[in-house]
Amino acid sequence: MNSKITSFLSLFIALPILITVVLGSVFLYAPGNTILSASSPDIIFYGSTTSGVTTVLGANRTSANITIKASTSPFEITTNGDFDSGPAPWTFNSGTDLNTALWYPTLYGKTGVAFINGSITSIIDSAQLIQIITWPSYPLAWASINMSYLIYSSGVPLFGLGVFSIGYSIYDMANNLITQGTVDAVSGNTNTSWKIFNTSLNTALFTPGENYYFIIEFTAVALPYAYVEYVLDYSLIMAQPASPYFLGPILYLNTTILSYNTSLILNSITSTGNANISIWLRNHTISVDSSKISIQNSVAISSQTSELIIAPVGLGYYSGDIWLEALIDPAATITLDLTLKYRLYDNVYVEYPIRITIIDPADRGNRNYIPPFNNPVPFKPSNGG
Amino acid sequence: MRYTRLITILAILALFGLVGTAVFVYLPGDISITPVQPPVIFDAGTNANQTGLAGNTITLILGENSSSFSLTLHPTYQKTYFHDVLRIVNPALPAGDNYFFGIKVLTPVSGPYTTAQMNIYDSSNNLVLSVDLTSATLQGWPTALNDNTVYRVDFVFVLPENVPLPGSTTIQVELVYSPQSATIPP
C-alpha cells in the first residue's frame, strides 16, 4: 500500500517536470544579417553669408552651431530696394509711352539703378515699379521711405507743357490705399542731377505681418512732345525695431543627388530674457516656404515646421535655406536646439543637430553688394497690383 | 577445507565478471523526424528594396523559406532611421500557436557607430522590443509573439560626423523563439 502511494506521488511530481522539460527543449533559431554600408551625406550644410551670422559647421557639414547678433540698427523692409542685386523682385507695370524699364549695373555715376524712359506722345502717361513687402510682425520705433533719383527730360518746346513726377503709394493686398505721396515734380527740360527724398511713414497704419504693395509711380504730362528718363539709385522702406532684431537666412542646405522632404524640429529653448522668434525653411527654386516654428515670449507655440521639398540645383546655388526672424529683449541671450529632419519617402529618415544662439549687442556690419550682372536687364512685367 | 571455500568465492566473482562483460540490454526507442514549415517567418517591410539615401537601395534578401534574412542598409552621418524594412510574422495558420521570442546578437557592431538599434513595433505602432545591436547578448526574452501577429522592424544608427566614413560591416543576429518562456534559450 505504501509503495503504491509512493509511486503515485512520484508520478504526480515527475509529470509536470517532464512537461516543462519537453516544452523547454524546443528553441528555434532564425538567423539574420544586417550589412551596414555607410554612405556620404546627400544633404550638407553651408554657412550663411548674412551679416551678423557666424556659423561653425561639423567636420562633414552635417551639424551646425550658429551665433546670430540681433540689432537695433535700421533695416530694410523692401527687398533689393537699392537695385544693387539686379531687377528682382521689382516688377514693371508699363505705360503706353513709358514702356521701358531696365536695370543697369552702372549709370550716371551710380551702381545698380532702375531706368525707366519713354517718348511722351499721348499727352499723359504713367508707369509703375512694384514690389510686395511684408510689414514686420513686431513693434517698430519708426519707418520711412528713402529714395535717390533723377529725372531727365528733353525736347519740351519753349512754350510747350512738360511736367514729370515721381510718387509713391502703398496698398494692402485687397487694393485698399494705405498711404501715398509725391516724391518730386519737375517741369520743362532738366539735367541729370541726383536728388534725395526722405519721408516718414505712420507705422500705426500697417498691420504687423501683413503683405502690402509698394508702388513707385512715374507720371509724364507733355504737350505736344517730350522725352523723359526716371532713374532710381534706391527706393527703400527702412525701419528701426523697438528691440534687437534679426531677419535673414542663417544656414544653407544643398542636396546633390536626390530630392528630399525636409523639416525642422525645435527640441529645447534656453533663454535669459524674452524673445519672439520664427524659424522656417525656404526653397528658392520654387519660391515656397515651410510653415514656421513659432516662439513667443520664449515659449514654443509651434515646435515643428511643415515639410518642404528641396531638390538638386545648379552649381553655385543652394537647394534651400533656413530663415530666422527674431526680436529679443535688450541684453537677452537665447539658445535653441533644433533638428533638421529629412526623408526620401517614408523609409529613411536622417536627423542633423543645429544649435542657434541669438545674442545682443548688435554688430551687423555693412552690406557689401557686388552687382550680379554686367549688362542692362529688363524688369519683369507686373501682373497688376 | 579453508582453501576450498576461498576457491569457491573466487570462482563466483570470476563468473560475475564474465557475466558483466557478456550481457547487453537493448531498450528500443523510436525517434520520428517530421520537418515542418517554420511557424515564424521573416517578411519584407514596405520599404524593403526601395531607393534609400543618395540613390542606394535598401536591399532585403529572404531565405528560401523566409526563415533567414540578409539586409543591406546605408546609414550616413548623425542619426539615420530606417522605417519598416523587415517584418517578423507568426502567420494565422497553423492556428493557435503562440510563441515567445528574443533577439540574440551574435556579432555586434562597434565603433564608430555610437548607437545601433533594431526596434520592433506592433501593428498599433507600440514599441515591442528595442535591441541594442552593439551588445552581444540575448535581448528581450521572453517577448510574446502570438498567433496571427505581424511585427514591424525598424533600425536606428548614429554615426558621429567627426570620423572618416567607415567601411562595410555585418551585424549577425538570431531570432530565437519557443512555445514556452520558462527556460532561457541556450
Side-chain angles (χ1 to χ4, degrees):
Chain A
M1 186 62 183
N2 284 344
S3 70
K4 281 185 178 178
I5 291 171
T6 305
S7 299
F8 178 77
L9 286 174
S10 300
L11 190 64
F12 186 78
I13 293 167
L15 195 60
I17 294 171
L18 189 65
I19 290 170
T20 303
V21 168
V22 167
L23 281 177
S25 66
V26 180
F27 292 98
L28 299 95
Y29 297 81
N33 288 340
T34 303
I35 302 163
L36 297 183
S37 180
S39 66
S40 297
D42 204 6
I43 290 183
I44 54 175
F45 291 144
Y46 289 87
S48 169
T49 55
T50 307
S51 180
V53 177
T54 305
T55 307
V56 178
L57 299 177
N60 282 285
R61 297 179 177 273
T62 58
S63 67
N65 195 336
I66 305 165
T67 302
I68 297 166
K69 293 178 179 176
S71 167
T72 52
S73 298
F75 70 101
E76 182 185 348
I77 293 178
T78 42
T79 302
N80 189 30
D82 56 12
F83 303 103
D84 279 1
S85 58
W90 296 90
T91 59
F92 180 59
N93 188 26
S94 176
T96 304
D97 299 329
L98 293 170
N99 55 13
T100 302
L102 293 171
W103 176 87
Y104 279 91
T106 58
L107 189 69
Y108 296 137
K110 300 291 186 181
T111 300
V113 300
F115 174 89
I116 294 92
N117 74 341
S119 295
I120 311 303
T121 58
S122 53
I123 302 177
I124 183 167
D125 194 24
S126 65
Q128 296 87 30
L129 277 180
I130 304 166
Q131 80 161 259
I132 296 173
I133 60 168
T134 300
W135 201 257
S137 56
Y138 47 84
L140 297 176
W142 54 259
S144 66
I145 294 177
N146 308 92
M147 201 175 294
S148 169
Y149 66 95
L150 69 78
I151 303 173
Y152 167 71
S153 59
S154 66
V156 180
L158 183 59
F159 297 106
L161 175 65
V163 179
F164 313 98
S165 63
I166 300 176
Y168 69 88
S169 57
I170 299 175
Y171 287 81
D172 67 16
M173 301 308 282
N175 285 328
N176 298 309
L177 178 65
I178 304 300
T179 185
Q180 65 179 353
T182 300
V183 174
D184 198 1
V186 299
S187 60
N189 295 317
T190 60
N191 57 22
T192 56
S193 59
W194 288 98
K195 297 180 179 178
I196 300 292
F197 169 78
N198 296 311
T199 189
S200 63
L201 289 171
N202 181 358
T203 58
L205 297 174
F206 299 88
T207 303
E210 289 296 307
N211 288 344
Y212 295 91
Y213 293 107
F214 177 42
I215 300 170
I216 310 299
E217 180 149 355
F218 311 93
T219 303
V221 179
L223 189 66
Y225 169 84
Y227 170 78
V228 64
E229 293 177 359
Y230 302 92
V231 188
L232 302 179
D233 182 30
Y234 56 80
S235 179
L236 305 160
I237 297 180
M238 300 293 293
Q240 183 178 30
S243 293
Y245 173 78
F246 175 89
L247 171 65
I250 59 168
L251 191 65
Y252 303 130
L253 321 176
N254 210 25
T255 174
T256 53
I257 299 175
L258 298 173
S259 297
Y260 292 97
N261 291 56
T262 59
S263 61
L264 285 170
I265 300 162
L266 175 65
N267 302 315
S268 67
I269 305 170
T270 306
S271 174
T272 58
N274 273 334
N276 293 328
I277 302 168
S278 297
I279 308 168
W280 65 98
L281 289 156
R282 174 169 290 177
N283 179 330
H284 281 296
T285 308
I286 55 174
S287 298
V288 172
D289 288 351
S290 70
S291 67
K292 295 178 179 179
I293 289 173
S294 177
I295 298 167
Q296 293 179 13
N297 296 322
S298 301
V299 175
I301 305 301
S302 169
S303 58
Q304 187 164 351
T305 70
S306 58
E307 284 192 325
L308 182 76
I309 296 175
I310 64 167
V313 291
L315 190 66
Y317 294 86
Y318 298 111
S319 304
D321 41 28
I322 297 173
W323 279 69
L324 182 141
E325 184 177 31
L327 184 76
I328 67 174
D329 282 352
T333 298
I334 296 90
T335 301
L336 310 173
D337 283 310
L338 297 101
T339 299
L340 172 77
K341 189 172 185 177
Y342 66 91
R343 67 181 178 91
L344 186 61
Y345 305 112
D346 188 28
N347 53 5
V348 186
Y349 297 81
V350 181
E351 296 179 4
Y352 295 167
I354 300 169
R355 171 163 286 188
I356 299 171
T357 304
I358 307 166
I359 60 171
D360 179 44
D363 182 15
R364 302 184 68 189
N366 295 318
R367 293 175 300 172
N368 186 18
Y369 285 123
I370 299 171
F373 311 112
N374 292 322
N375 299 309
V377 180
F379 280 81
K380 185 179 175 183
S382 169
N383 295 321
Chain B
M1 185 62 184
R2 222 170 42 184
Y3 289 113
T4 304
R5 186 173 293 175
L6 180 62
I7 289 167
T8 303
I9 291 168
L10 288 173
I12 290 169
L13 287 174
L15 190 63
F16 271 112
L18 285 174
V19 168
T21 55
V23 177
F24 295 93
V25 180
Y26 295 86
L27 299 178
D30 292 338
I31 299 172
S32 178
I33 300 173
T34 307
V36 296
Q37 287 296 322
V40 172
I41 58 174
F42 296 113
D43 197 5
T46 56
N47 295 312
N49 300 312
Q50 301 293 318
T51 302
L53 296 173
N56 294 303
T57 301
I58 302 166
T59 305
L60 175 68
I61 299 170
L62 295 175
E64 286 287 327
N65 288 287
S66 298
S67 58
S68 67
F69 72 87
S70 179
L71 181 64
T72 301
L73 303 173
H74 301 276
T76 190
Y77 288 117
Q78 307 295 355
K79 183 177 178 181
T80 309
Y81 194 106
F82 296 90
H83 176 253
D84 195 12
V85 292
L86 178 70
R87 291 181 179 180
I88 298 170
V89 182
N90 182 352
L93 295 176
D97 57 335
N98 300 320
Y99 295 97
F100 298 92
F101 82 100
I103 300 293
K104 195 173 197 175
V105 180
L106 302 174
T107 307
V109 66
S110 56
Y113 295 94
T114 56
T115 297
Q117 291 176 343
M118 178 183 187
N119 292 332
I120 301 170
Y121 293 86
D122 66 15
S123 57
S124 300
N125 204 35
N126 297 312
L127 180 65
V128 173
L129 174 60
S130 181
V131 180
D132 180 0
L133 297 174
T134 67
S135 175
T137 54
L138 173 66
Q139 299 175 47
W141 179 267
T143 299
L145 178 58
N146 292 331
D147 187 43
N148 195 20
T149 295
V150 177
Y151 285 153
R152 187 190 87 224
V153 183
D154 299 352
F155 290 86
V156 183
F157 301 96
V158 174
L159 178 61
E161 69 170 330
N162 58 345
V163 297
L165 210 59
S168 180
T169 185
T170 300
I171 305 166
Q172 291 181 304
V173 300
E174 281 178 336
L175 169 68
V176 187
Y177 60 101
S178 173
Q180 60 80 43
S181 62
T183 306
I184 296 173

